[in-house]
Amino acid sequence: QVQLAESGGGLVQPGNSLRLSCVASGQSFNTYTMGWFRQAPGKERQFLASIRWSGGSRYITDAVKGRFTISIDSPKNSVYLQMDSLNSEDTAEYYCAALDPHSPELARVVFWGQGTRVTVSA
């Protein structure tokens, strides 16, 4: 069992930044690829980014590329999502996930975090 604990969400004004954190624990958590997803009300869950614990194979989806950055701090068992230039369309519940590195296109989510809410509003 792997546990993922997100933090860092909250209310932020448009144009400002937030950094989300996800602390991983449990058996063999470092064998998974780490990812971030979000889901806005009334919309489908959206994949945002992924990274290996080595810091390699970093991927950012085109929808947020240039504004969002994923990173790893392996000694702290933590993965981060830096979000800059936030706008109202970024309002969503954000989830950390452990992905099966052997699944085609990293499609299989093995473990989910509890989520942290981000609200972008003036």
Side-chain angles (χ1 to χ4, degrees), residues 68-113:
F68 290 14
T69 304
I70 189 169
S71 62
I72 281 283
D73 189 342
S74 182
K76 294 185 177 180
N77 301 335
S78 297
V79 58
Y80 305 99
L81 186 69
Q82 176 70 39
M83 306 185 295
D84 298 327
S85 301
L86 288 164
N87 58 66
S88 61
E89 294 185 1
D90 297 315
T91 295
E93 191 85 3
Y94 285 72
Y95 297 92
C96 181
L99 311 174
D100 181 357
H102 305 295
S103 65
E105 301 175 329
L106 300 177
R108 189 169 85 92
V109 176
V110 184
F111 300 102
W112 290 100

Side-chain angles (χ1 to χ4, degrees), residues 45-60:
R45 185 167 56 234
Q46 180 185 28
F47 170 75
L48 297 174
S50 61
I51 194 170
R52 295 179 179 176
W53 284 102
S54 66
S57 299
R58 186 192 301 177
Y59 175 81
I60 305 289

